[in-house]
Amino acid sequence: MKDRRRRRWAGFLAALCLTLTGCGNTKIVLTTGLASDELFRIGEVSCRLPEAMVYLMNQKGSYEKVYGIEMWQHALGEMTMEEYLKSQVLSELAQVKSMVLLAGEQEIVLTEQEQAQAGEAAKEYMASLSREDIEALKIDQESVRQMYEDYRLAFKAYQEITEDVSVEISDDEARIIQLQQIFVPEEHLAGELRRRIEGGEDFGSIAANYSKLSQTTVSMARGDKGGIYEEIAFDLNNDEVSEVFEEDGGYYILKCLNTYMEEESEANKIQVARQRKSERFQGIYSEVMKDTLSEFQEKLWDKVSFSDYEEVDTSTFFEIYQTHFEQ
């Protein structure tokens, strides 16, 4: 159960449009019209700097446990690792706050039990911090409780919206097939090879000797390739060889090895259903957010530097969430 929930949440974070980075229809205003410690506001939902610092310092601490503090000396393309992490944290916070707004629109609320869990999680997290950590982060137990409530509400909204969809995926829609393929630039050579196969020569041997593709045996689902290639491939029976056809600036011959790879097809059925649920969610999300104004104090975030928080040592915020909510 834990792993499934984490995968769903990871899928939500990956799929959701990043509100403060300009994706989607949300109107974004860089402003100084917010409170002094208010980092951004999406509609009526606000994110203050202390909350962002809890996310940032916990992500930083988690990275350092794995890679060591030396990682911040490196660059990721044109960005420093510090700039990269700040960008990631800002995106995640924007996603969470967008979902809190969406939860309000959909009348999705936390239960009393979930609120109590958030309170217990906040109490545990605050107990993990030193006095110096608390002063540097400028947080208290009530603000941390609200953070846990928002994080839970964001996931709950995504979960309820996507799981309230009945999706039926047929075996044919989800099936994965396995093929051998030959691709050559010359039509006359393709015709000659097709005649040799028809005469009894081994398809695999001819593919290995003549095909210009790096792979002669492939598996594919509907939508992977498209065009006439996919149309012909999914119309073949087991061991059937196609006629020569033109595609991709050359000529193909296909042989079907397996019209239904059972294990792979069942896994793909789950993936296709998840994609359709995600599309439904995106439609609801886009409709809610299209006229929503987002305000962002970019200069406030730019001023944040790891060097100002060198004494802060924390990495358990998200682990504590999992302990209290994902049992």
Short mmCIF file of all heavy atoms in Angstrom, two decimals, residues 5 40-41 71 85 173 215 267 272 325:
data_model
loop_
_atom_site.label_atom_id
_atom_site.label_comp_id
_atom_site.label_asym_id
_atom_site.label_seq_id
_atom_site.Cartn_x
_atom_site.Cartn_y
_atom_site.Cartn_z
N ARG A 5 0.91 4.24 -2.97
CA ARG A 5 0.61 5.64 -2.68
C ARG A 5 1.77 6.53 -3.10
O ARG A 5 1.56 7.61 -3.64
CB ARG A 5 0.32 5.80 -1.19
CG ARG A 5 -1.04 5.25 -0.77
CD ARG A 5 -1.25 5.39 0.71
NE ARG A 5 -2.58 4.95 1.10
CZ ARG A 5 -2.97 4.85 2.36
NH1 ARG A 5 -2.14 5.17 3.34
NH2 ARG A 5 -4.19 4.45 2.66
N PHE A 40 4.78 33.35 -2.31
CA PHE A 40 3.86 33.41 -3.45
C PHE A 40 2.44 33.16 -2.97
O PHE A 40 2.19 32.67 -1.87
CB PHE A 40 4.26 32.42 -4.56
CG PHE A 40 4.15 30.96 -4.20
CD1 PHE A 40 2.94 30.28 -4.27
CD2 PHE A 40 5.28 30.24 -3.82
CE1 PHE A 40 2.83 28.94 -3.95
CE2 PHE A 40 5.20 28.90 -3.50
CZ PHE A 40 3.97 28.24 -3.56
N ARG A 41 1.51 33.50 -3.85
CA ARG A 41 0.09 33.29 -3.58
C ARG A 41 -0.55 32.80 -4.87
O ARG A 41 -0.33 33.36 -5.94
CB ARG A 41 -0.56 34.59 -3.11
CG ARG A 41 -2.06 34.45 -2.81
CD ARG A 41 -2.64 35.80 -2.42
NE ARG A 41 -2.11 36.26 -1.14
CZ ARG A 41 -2.65 35.97 0.04
NH1 ARG A 41 -3.74 35.22 0.08
NH2 ARG A 41 -2.12 36.43 1.15
N MET A 71 28.56 17.99 -2.64
CA MET A 71 27.75 18.07 -3.86
C MET A 71 27.41 19.50 -4.23
O MET A 71 27.22 19.81 -5.41
CB MET A 71 26.46 17.25 -3.70
CG MET A 71 25.46 17.83 -2.72
SD MET A 71 23.86 16.99 -2.76
CE MET A 71 23.27 17.45 -4.38
N LEU A 85 18.21 22.93 -6.72
CA LEU A 85 17.34 22.45 -5.64
C LEU A 85 16.30 23.50 -5.28
O LEU A 85 15.13 23.17 -5.03
CB LEU A 85 18.18 22.08 -4.41
CG LEU A 85 17.37 21.47 -3.26
CD1 LEU A 85 16.63 20.21 -3.72
CD2 LEU A 85 18.27 21.14 -2.08
N GLU A 173 -6.59 -2.96 -26.63
CA GLU A 173 -6.03 -1.62 -26.44
C GLU A 173 -4.69 -1.66 -25.74
O GLU A 173 -3.81 -0.85 -26.02
CB GLU A 173 -6.99 -0.76 -25.61
CG GLU A 173 -8.25 -0.33 -26.31
CD GLU A 173 -9.13 0.47 -25.37
OE1 GLU A 173 -9.83 -0.16 -24.55
OE2 GLU A 173 -9.11 1.71 -25.45
N GLN A 215 18.20 -2.50 -33.56
CA GLN A 215 17.48 -3.62 -32.97
C GLN A 215 16.67 -4.32 -34.04
O GLN A 215 15.93 -3.69 -34.79
CB GLN A 215 16.54 -3.14 -31.87
CG GLN A 215 17.22 -2.63 -30.62
CD GLN A 215 16.20 -2.22 -29.56
OE1 GLN A 215 15.45 -1.28 -29.76
NE2 GLN A 215 16.17 -2.95 -28.46
N ALA A 267 0.59 -5.22 -17.51
CA ALA A 267 1.24 -4.05 -16.92
C ALA A 267 0.88 -2.79 -17.70
O ALA A 267 0.65 -1.72 -17.12
CB ALA A 267 2.75 -4.24 -16.87
N VAL A 272 -2.08 2.46 -19.06
CA VAL A 272 -3.04 3.16 -19.91
C VAL A 272 -4.18 3.72 -19.07
O VAL A 272 -4.62 4.87 -19.27
CB VAL A 272 -3.58 2.22 -21.00
CG1 VAL A 272 -4.72 2.90 -21.77
CG2 VAL A 272 -2.47 1.82 -21.97
N PHE A 325 0.91 9.07 7.86
CA PHE A 325 -0.17 9.03 6.89
C PHE A 325 -0.15 7.83 5.95
O PHE A 325 -1.12 7.59 5.25
CB PHE A 325 -0.18 10.30 6.04
CG PHE A 325 -0.68 11.51 6.78
CD1 PHE A 325 0.21 12.45 7.29
CD2 PHE A 325 -2.02 11.70 6.97
CE1 PHE A 325 -0.24 13.56 7.96
CE2 PHE A 325 -2.50 12.82 7.64
CZ PHE A 325 -1.61 13.75 8.15
#
